[in-house]
Amino acid sequence: MERIATADPGQVVLEVKGLVAEFPTRHGPFRAVDGVSFDLRAGETLCVVGESGSGKSVTARSILQIVDTPGRIVAGEVLLHRHRTARGTGAEETIDLARLEPRGKAIRAIRGRDIAMIFQEPMSSLSPVHTIGNQIAEVIRLHETVSKKEARARSIELLRQVEIPRPESAVDRYTFEFSGGMRQRAMIAMSLACNPSVLIADEPTTALDVTTQAEILDLIKRLQESHGMAVMLITHDMGVVAETADSIVVMRHGKLVERGSVEDIFYAPQHDYTKMLLQAVLDLDRPSERRLARRAVQAIGGPVVEIRGLVKEFDLRHGFMRRKGHVLKALDDIDLTLHEGENLGVVGESGSGKTTLGRCLLRVHDPSRGEMLYRASGGAVADVATASGNGLERIRRDIRMIFQDPFASLNPRMNVAQIIGEPLLVNGVASGAALRSRVAQLLDVVGLPAAAMERYPHAFSGGQRQRIGIARAIALEPRVIVADEATSALDVSLRTQVLDLLLELQERLGLSFIFISHDISVIRYFCDRVAVMFRGKVVEIGETEEVCTNPQHGYTKALLSAVPHPDPRHRGMLGRHRYEAGA
Amino acid sequence: MASVLDPRLHTDTEIASQWRLMWWSFRRHTLAMVGLVIVLLLYLIGIFAEFVAPFDPQSASAKHVYHPPQMIHFIDSTDDGWRIKPWVQAYTLERDKFTLQTTFKPDEGKRIYLSFFGKGTPYKLLGLIPAERRLLVPDEPNERFFLFGADRLGRDMLSRTVFGTRVSMSIGLVGVTLSLLLGVLLGGISGYYGGAVDMVIQRVVEFVLSLPTIPIWLALTASLPASWPPLTRYFAITLILSLVGWTELARVVRGRFLALRSEDFVVAARLDGCSEKRVIFRHMLPSLMSHVIASVTLAIPVMILAETSLSFLGLGLLPPTISWGVLLKEAQNIRSIAQAPWLFVPGAFVLVAVLALNFLGDGLRDAADPYAQERG
Amino acid sequence: MLLTYIIKRILWTIPFLFAVSIVAFALIQAPPGDYLTTFAATLAQSGDMVDQERLEALRTRYGLDQPFIVQYWKWISGVLVGDFGISFEWQQPVSNLIWERMALSLCLAVSTLLFTWAVAFPIGIYSAVRKYSIGDYLITTLGFLGLAMPNFLLALVLMYIGVVYFGADVGGLFSPEYQTAPWSWPKFVDLLKHIWIPVVILGTSSSAALIRIMRANLLDELNKPYVTTARAKGLSEFRLLLKYPVRLALNPFVSTIGWAFPQLISGAVITAFVLSLPTAGPLLLQALLAQDMYLAGAFILLLCTLTVVGMLVSDILLALLDPRIRYR
């Protein structure tokens, strides 16, 4: 690429002043962005951080005036200092993007050329019916007069830049033929097509696994350095912020809460909300003190669940004579033991088989081979893998599950009393008035008022719903709880609350947990031991602290080094460990 | 967190059940509400056909062949002043001396007075309850009036259309019920068992959907013996219509069933210890119901149109059974509609009924999942 | 990939066609008694001598004294070489009667489909892009009316209007002088002059349905993230609309061949009857009423075959249009 942008680093190229964006609703206009101001400097990364609904995404889209209808900018300026970029003519040239006609030529000439944008979900953000090459070449030909052939050659070159293997053939492929990480790379290639001076990345790694996230962030960083771009990175993850930011804007409810350099925000936060956000992340980055204290008083007991040689195969063969597809080994010879009063973490990326493991233990899926021995409180041992009828019912009373998605796991057509009461009712534990008082008591345990009983799930927030799910899980006084990504759908500030609730319940009810998560910090907080899963196998198992600080297996090392640390002084991603599976 | 459960902020929505939420979201849909009212009205007319119709729909009158429609007036102003009394202008039959063509001319001097809820010819409501009061009758028992005109045998089109409403609207309902039974059964089996059973049923559904319905219906109805009594024929035709109609419902049921089966809350119910029966009836069916009701509503107009088409061609219901299609068969001939355009009236009823059912169905479909918006 | 898909899809059609032929044959066998009984009765009625020997010969020829499966075999093996049996009403081989009418039916169906697309495509896009504008409401209302109006009623109303207000008969596909004339250029022009009326009548309801589908799909697609991406590239709204959401909303358009074709052919039967068109419909109806079973069977088989082939064409076009389908 001959024309690499070479703006002076540190120059302000984009200035947002008092930006206000509104969405009309039935109850009057809703201010999604309320008076936000910040600067973007060439060669620097600005992170905009906030929890869901903070207006960070609308802010980003307002810059290019591509807010989803009916949203619109009502006030403020978005100044692009073009003369300070490589594209500038030298003459004083400052354009207020907020004043341009949203469908007009002027702003269209800026979109994709001066300012490019990448989005969260690369699958749905790219057209499924056009080839990658077609979509990249389109940007080039839109802003520059080049031949089709040249545009194609440049597309291939761009794909090579973002490290997509075999770019000559990749250029003719469709998005669904790529993995998530590759799609996001293609998206980045597309955004770089015209050497923009500003790159806006809206949660670019949220949909990706942590190792892929590290690679993508890494790529953006390197491209930023070589192109001298200003990057605006929108994220909810303080770890990502610490790893990438030069300066930070914290947003909440559409308002700018605090802004400053990365050091200022992380080491001297002024606003309570920023402090709270940081605290929530920092809390999670170490073992729960409550758990450690408890273990000192009450030692972990003997085995409750012993999984031996567990195999689960999914038959994906189809077509005539089942000649297409293959048999997927989701679980490959798993051995695990859960002790009484212990929290066993299972960590892995998507497709590692961790969810299948949890579901096999409850016989949502029937395992293909192996045994899962459950030791009941009386000492009797039963094999969950072969149990059926009454035996399975009894086991399912003792082993319960908490689901990931608090929206999907509660029947929207039943009220809270019915949802929590269902296991009590069908198992004949209680009915009528006794049932109601038991439900009220359970609600109290999980920190919800008894008045919640009559309400339907839609009346509750995500965190509250998860509490309802927990109340349902503990209703039958179980001994083991399988929590499958129980905190992943929650904002970070709510995670510790829910985890603390689970720890409290553990003390009160003597529970043992199998805690499945992709998030190593949550595991570190909550779990005594951790099993690392990779492609259906447990590659490493041990005390959580031991595994986290001194990983043995190559994959564990790669996984841990890819986790962004919420400490800007210990940026670890560039020197991180990479693991190439021998498959 | 406490703020959300603040008692002062409690709205009705928080404790509203599925049906109430659906009703609220349905109520906002003006066209659907209009559709609902019209559909209810049509079914009421169908149920109380004997009461609504002023005359026996089969009673012919040579004097009134192609009698034109009369306008109903409610205020009777005479030389003595005025009063509220419904009446229609009487017509007399005139024969042109040369061409011998007959025409109806309004008889300025003569008014036929009518009464609401007066006594008419006795009848049995729904063929069971003997009664003689009718919605609107002439004061003079021997007089006749024709708000929708008369057909080629001088039969009252209003009465015939009202009875046609009973048959046509009910055929939609009965046909859809049969379709639903078949569709839910096969769709449910298909979705529940999956695998080879699913494969076979899906192929059958695809096959039936790829057939042109009307030629098949025609061939099937053509093979019904013409000697069958009206009621047997009615059910045979309904059965034939639903043989094709079940496929769409089966697809809806199967699709929903499959989607629901893997929903977390259904898995949760199974883990709660619910029996297979309870999982289906307590946890899955309520989610399924609203969608099925919407699909059923949208299937009724299809049935009505099909019956009308078949009867129109003379292969569906046959006289003396009266349905909108049978009535429209009278309008097949270009000469008769040129002379008596009011023979189109049953067509207007078809149009209104189908529109109303479509509006209603659309409204129901939009309201079927009141939880859809907030998840996204 | 694409070729394999197409070959597989074509192979799939064979069992469908087989099933279609069984259904058609079962339908013509459904009425009580075999057709020779009816045939003999008709002959006797018209005073003709019933030639018992000839009847016997026919009985053996079509295997009427044999079980269903044998009769089917005799029938279908004839059909495969173009022998559809004889029509007892017309006293001539079925194949003499059907082809011209089938050709006109096909011609009518294809013209209607093209008309439907030409109408529904721009209107559907307009309706979605200008959601809740006056034009959109107008289109939606007309669309509902079009859906609710049975074809034959529309045909009747148009005929009424034609006769009463213009004094013209709108029925038929040809002017009287061309009705029996051999095919020629003027006859074709004459056909074009007449065919638009049934095309409009038949096309109304499927256009209305297609507009609704196009609108709903496009509205869905317009909110997809890839539209935002395209906008962020700097594409103009119009080019963006045509290249991305419209392209994706096209799928249901192409699949109309699959579902609208059976409906068009169905609807054409009645409309053709009302407008007395020389297409398959009226003759099929006549054959059914007269229990002229081989003639009816031939029409049913061919009409069903047409729709199955329509499905095939639509599936192949879909695979051409959407890479996700051919890679599955």
Side-chain angles (χ1 to χ4, degrees), chain B residues 13 32 49 66 87 89 98 151-152 209 226 234-235 248 290 311 328 341-342 352 360 363 366:
Chain B
T13 5
Y66 290 138
W87 57 274
Q89 191 75 57
F98 304 106
D151 69 358
R152 71 188 154 82
L209 280 175
Y234 172 93
F235 281 112
E248 199 51 51
S290 50
S311 303
L328 281 171
W342 51 87
V352 169
L360 177 63
D366 290 350

Side-chain angles (χ1 to χ4, degrees), chain C residues 202-313:
Chain C
L202 279 174
T204 311
S205 65
S206 44
S207 304
L210 199 50
I211 289 173
R212 270 170 55 119
I213 292 174
M214 184 75 190
R215 179 177 182 272
N217 272 320
L218 199 53
L219 282 179
D220 257 14
E221 297 293 337
L222 282 177
N223 291 324
K224 293 270 173 76
Y226 67 80
V227 177
T228 314
T229 310
R231 202 168 278 143
K233 282 180 186 176
L235 271 175
S236 73
E237 286 294 312
F238 185 71
R239 269 181 68 183
L240 178 156
L241 183 72
L242 285 189
K243 180 164 179 187
Y244 296 102
V246 168
R247 172 77 159 64
L248 275 130
L250 263 187
N251 286 9
F253 234 76
V254 171
S255 54
T256 44
I257 309 178
W259 62 259
F261 219 65
Q263 282 183 15
L264 284 180
I265 286 176
S266 273
V269 171
I270 303 183
T271 312
F273 169 73
V274 175
L275 295 174
S276 44
L277 305 179
T279 56
L283 195 58
L284 166 66
L285 193 65
Q286 201 182 331
L288 283 170
L289 287 170
Q291 306 220 326
D292 188 354
M293 283 321 176
Y294 282 114
L295 183 55
F299 274 130
I300 290 176
L301 178 66
L302 288 174
L303 290 177
C304 292
T305 306
L306 261 189
T307 62
V308 171
V309 171
M311 284 271 195
L312 172 70
V313 172

Side-chain angles (χ1 to χ4, degrees), chain B residues 100-231:
Chain B
L100 297 179
Q101 220 168 20
T102 56
T103 44
F104 283 93
K105 285 270 157 59
D107 183 351
E108 291 300 340
K110 194 176 169 206
R111 289 177 178 182
I112 299 169
Y113 289 102
L114 312 170
S115 305
F116 283 105
F117 307 112
K119 281 187 183 170
T121 37
Y123 58 90
K124 280 185 176 164
L125 190 61
L126 293 168
L128 298 170
I129 311 151
E132 49 184 0
R133 298 256 172 214
R134 288 175 186 262
L135 181 63
L136 191 61
V137 290
D139 286 355
E140 287 291 321
N142 295 329
E143 291 284 5
R144 303 203 70 173
F145 67 99
F146 302 93
L147 296 182
F148 287 178
D151 69 358
R152 71 188 154 82
L153 296 175
R155 293 173 295 195
D156 176 31
M157 281 301 284
L158 171 60
S159 306
R160 291 179 71 73
T161 311
V162 164
F163 276 86
T165 306
R166 167 179 285 177
V167 172
S168 291
M169 291 298 283
S170 73
I171 225 168
L173 213 56
V174 176
V176 161
T177 313
L178 287 175
S179 297
L180 186 65
L181 286 179
L182 269 171
V184 169
L185 197 70
L186 289 169
I189 289 174
S190 194
Y192 192 80
Y193 288 102
V197 182
D198 183 38
M199 237 281 284
V200 170
I201 294 181
Q202 283 318 298
R203 290 293 95 74
V204 171
V205 168
E206 263 172 44
F207 176 66
V208 175
L209 280 175
S210 76
L211 296 178
T213 46
I214 286 181
I216 305 283
W217 279 334
L218 287 178
L220 281 172
T221 48
S223 64
L224 297 178
S227 55
W228 278 7
L231 198 65

Side-chain angles (χ1 to χ4, degrees), chain A residues 26 359 362 364 393 396 400-401 403-405 407-414 418-419 422-423 425-427 448-449 451-452 454-456 458-461 463-465 467 472 476 494 497, chain B residues 1-2 4-5 7 10-11 13-18 21-22 28 262-275 278 282-284 286-288 290-291 368-371 374-375:
Chain A
R26 261 191 285 158
R359 299 209 158 199
L362 280 152
V364 177
E393 259 172 47
R396 278 183 177 165
R400 301 279 292 161
M401 184 147 183
F403 293 83
Q404 167 175 8
D405 185 348
F407 288 79
S409 59
L410 303 181
N411 190 339
R413 288 166 173 83
M414 291 166 81
Q418 288 168 327
I419 290 172
E422 187 73 3
L425 194 67
V426 293
N427 284 291
L448 289 173
E454 304 305 323
R455 285 176 188 68
Y456 286 83
H458 61 256
F460 299 91
S461 67
Q464 290 170 332
R465 288 187 201 211
R467 284 168 191 264
R472 169 173 64 188
L476 292 169
L494 288 173
Q497 287 182 16
Chain B
M1 173 164 297
V4 181
L5 279 180
H10 282 164
T11 51
T13 5
E14 298 190 344
I15 50 167
S17 69
Q18 173 193 6
L21 284 175
M22 277 177 66
R28 282 203 293 271
S262 53
E263 282 271 1
D264 272 357
F265 71 80
V266 174
V267 174
R270 197 161 287 140
L271 295 181
D272 282 347
C274 294
S275 63
R278 194 174 165 88
R282 179 81 180 87
H283 295 266
M284 293 172 74
S287 310
L288 216 62
S290 50
H291 292 280
D369 195 353
Y371 311 100
E374 58 165 339
R375 258 204 221 165

Side-chain angles (χ1 to χ4, degrees), chain B residues 241-270:
Chain B
L241 293 184
S242 52
L243 273 183
V244 178
W246 66 271
T247 48
E248 199 51 51
L249 285 167
R251 265 161 49 131
V252 171
V253 170
R254 172 181 174 271
R256 292 276 157 196
F257 213 94
L258 282 182
L260 270 177
R261 201 170 57 161
S262 53
E263 282 271 1
D264 272 357
F265 71 80
V266 174
V267 174
R270 197 161 287 140

